[in-house]
Amino acid sequence: MSPLVLHELPAIEAVPAAAWNALVGDDHPFLRHEFLHALEASGAVSPATGWVPRHLTLWQGEALVGVMPHYHKHHSFGEYVFDWGWAEAWERAGGDYYPKGLSAIPFTPAPGPRLALAPHLDPLAARRVLAEAWEESGLSSWHLLFAEPAEVEAWQAACPSLLARQGVQFQWRDRGYGDFEGFLAALTAKRRKAIRRERRLVAEQGLTLHRLEGEAIDAAAMAHFFRCYEITYLERGRHGYLGLDFFERLRRTLPESLLLIQARRDGAPVAAALCLQGARTLYGRYWGSEILADCLHFEACYYQGIEHCLARGLTLFDPGTQGEHKLSRGFAPRRLTSLHHIADSRLRDAVARFCAEERAHVEAYCRAAEAALPFRDA
């Protein structure tokens, strides 16, 4: 068997899409070549935006046997695991925190795999080869964000010095509800009544909801969605991370993974939510509206997604970060883990103390959130 050789590549297009996707599979759209290429080709991810691609690939002879997205970052924007305080503290002490190494999906706080390996590889040996790269890189740190639990455990076995940081998101899971009425039946009477009222309010404002998939999402629908997406950011005084070119590339190259939820009034679209879907999971990611309408966000971003999951046999709905208001709508807290290699022992010790203190608060928060879930047997 040929030895494992690591190559660091400056662009995702340096790897043929078929070779990358053969390792990644179809379950997780964000790790697919098409998604990562759309980020780079549209300019959202580039040295000019502070994201320098340095994708890690493992080879045996001419065969590609391992891939992991990887970037050198010159800031901490677009990550959703916030380490600004670590950077500030290290720079006050005279160190250089940036550039840092990052293995994550840019602008996408969705849990999923980060390293894809050929089935015959020893995963422990493969991770140790990768670990040698970032340990010898000369960078201040390396960060693995939003990895799945099994991958977190595998990395900790390969590199016991990695620091684990805990976080939380809210996700919906199908418990055999059958349909939306079955889901409502599992809730308390108070919450059933509240959700029905919210959905009724949307209809009473003359709004109808429509779910478009794949080829049914045409250029006009995507352009309208993008106008709505930009409004969400302009309300905060800035533009979104992603441009229309990025979304158009997804529409052309990854249509089977797209779900567009449109709200229409008098037949014309007025709001939209764009989701991606894998084999088992729906990911709610982008939203915007041209109008103000009571409860429309809940309908377009939560209830339509739940209905879609139940109709398509998807068992998990990840609607994105933040939002305790998701609790009352049946989205349960899920603990998340990020892993961090800190090169300097002084900074590593300080970060380790911070993570330990933060973990206690996260655990208490999760317990309180679980107690607040509106299920009748909760």
Side-chain angles (χ1 to χ4, degrees), residues 210-222 247-261 273-277 282 308 312:
H210 306 265
R211 297 197 293 269
L212 308 178
E213 294 184 71
E215 301 295 341
I217 305 171
D218 60 17
M222 188 61 81
F247 293 109
E248 262 297 299
R249 288 176 181 275
L250 289 189
R251 189 183 71 83
R252 295 194 303 268
T253 65
L254 206 59
E256 68 279 5
S257 295
L258 299 184
L259 169 68
L260 180 63
I261 300 166
L274 184 65
C275 307
L276 280 86
Q277 53 192 339
L282 179 68
H308 180 79
R312 293 290 186 269

Side-chain angles (χ1 to χ4, degrees), residues 4-348:
L4 280 177
V5 177
L6 173 67
H7 290 301
E8 190 177 85
L9 302 180
I12 192 70
E13 66 180 4
V15 183
W20 182 285
N21 287 339
L23 294 172
V24 169
D26 298 325
D27 290 350
H28 299 276
F30 305 114
L31 196 57
R32 287 185 62 83
H33 191 280
E34 296 89 341
F35 188 90
L36 297 171
H37 184 265
L39 288 168
E40 294 181 23
S42 67
V45 166
S46 71
T49 63
W51 294 79
V52 182
R54 290 289 186 268
H55 302 302
L56 302 178
T57 60
L58 293 172
W59 301 77
Q60 284 184 324
E62 298 298 315
L64 179 66
V65 295
V67 296
M68 184 166 70
H70 183 247
Y71 307 89
H72 287 183
K73 284 294 301 299
H74 292 268
H75 52 66
S76 293
F77 290 109
E79 299 175 19
Y80 302 91
V81 175
F82 303 110
D83 63 347
W84 295 103
W86 306 356
E88 182 182 354
W90 190 232
E91 289 170 0
R92 281 204 312 266
D96 293 320
Y97 193 76
Y98 302 108
K100 64 179 183 178
L102 180 76
S103 289
I105 309 300
F107 318 117
T108 308
R114 298 295 176 257
L115 172 64
L117 299 172
H120 70 274
L121 282 192
D122 177 350
L124 186 64
R127 283 181 170 82
R128 285 177 173 163
V129 169
L130 293 167
E132 288 176 6
W134 42 256
E135 286 175 347
E136 297 172 1
S137 68
L139 299 179
S140 71
S141 53
W142 173 76
H143 309 264
L144 179 70
L145 308 186
F146 297 101
E148 293 180 324
E151 188 167 1
V152 168
E153 292 176 8
W155 274 107
Q156 289 175 319
C159 311
S161 64
L162 288 171
L163 301 178
R165 185 179 184 185
Q166 302 300 310
V168 62
Q169 286 184 354
F170 298 96
Q171 300 180 353
W172 178 91
R173 189 177 296 276
D174 184 11
R175 305 292 184 185
Y177 300 125
D179 57 19
F180 199 85
E181 282 301 311
F183 163 62
L184 290 181
L187 303 177
T188 64
K190 179 180 179 181
R191 285 312 307 162
R192 284 198 302 274
K193 181 178 179 181
I195 289 174
R196 286 180 174 137
R197 176 180 176 276
E198 288 174 349
R199 306 197 82 184
R200 187 171 63 251
L201 280 173
V202 171
E204 289 172 352
Q205 294 169 92
L207 296 164
T208 58
L209 278 294
H210 306 265
R211 297 197 293 269
L212 308 178
E213 294 184 71
E215 301 295 341
I217 305 171
D218 60 17
M222 188 61 81
H224 173 265
F225 154 75
F226 181 72
R227 289 199 301 273
C228 294
Y229 164 82
E230 273 285 271
I231 287 170
T232 300
Y233 283 89
L234 290 172
E235 288 173 346
R236 307 171 198 165
R238 60 188 179 94
H239 291 280
Y241 289 121
L242 306 171
L244 178 58
D245 183 45
F246 165 76
F247 293 109
E248 262 297 299
R249 288 176 181 275
L250 289 189
R251 189 183 71 83
R252 295 194 303 268
T253 65
L254 206 59
E256 68 279 5
S257 295
L258 299 184
L259 169 68
L260 180 63
I261 300 166
Q262 271 192 350
R264 300 175 188 168
R265 177 178 280 165
D266 299 325
V270 294
L274 184 65
C275 307
L276 280 86
Q277 53 192 339
R280 295 177 296 275
T281 305
L282 179 68
Y283 302 91
R285 305 259 55 92
Y286 318 104
W287 149 260
S289 178
E290 297 174 317
I291 64 170
L292 294 175
D294 289 341
C295 301
L296 179 57
H297 178 262
F298 302 144
E299 178 65 37
C301 295
Y302 305 145
Y303 304 144
Q304 287 292 317
I306 291 172
E307 281 193 342
H308 180 79
C309 287
L310 291 166
R312 293 290 186 269
L314 304 178
T315 56
L316 187 68
F317 180 18
D318 168 7
T321 60
Q322 304 176 345
E324 292 177 352
H325 56 277
K326 295 170 186 170
L327 268 176
S328 62
R329 293 164 178 88
F331 292 80
R334 175 183 175 182
R335 293 162 178 80
L336 304 174
T337 303
S338 58
L339 295 176
H340 308 271
H341 164 74
I342 308 295
D344 191 279
S345 61
R346 295 165 296 173
L347 179 59
R348 182 169 62 248

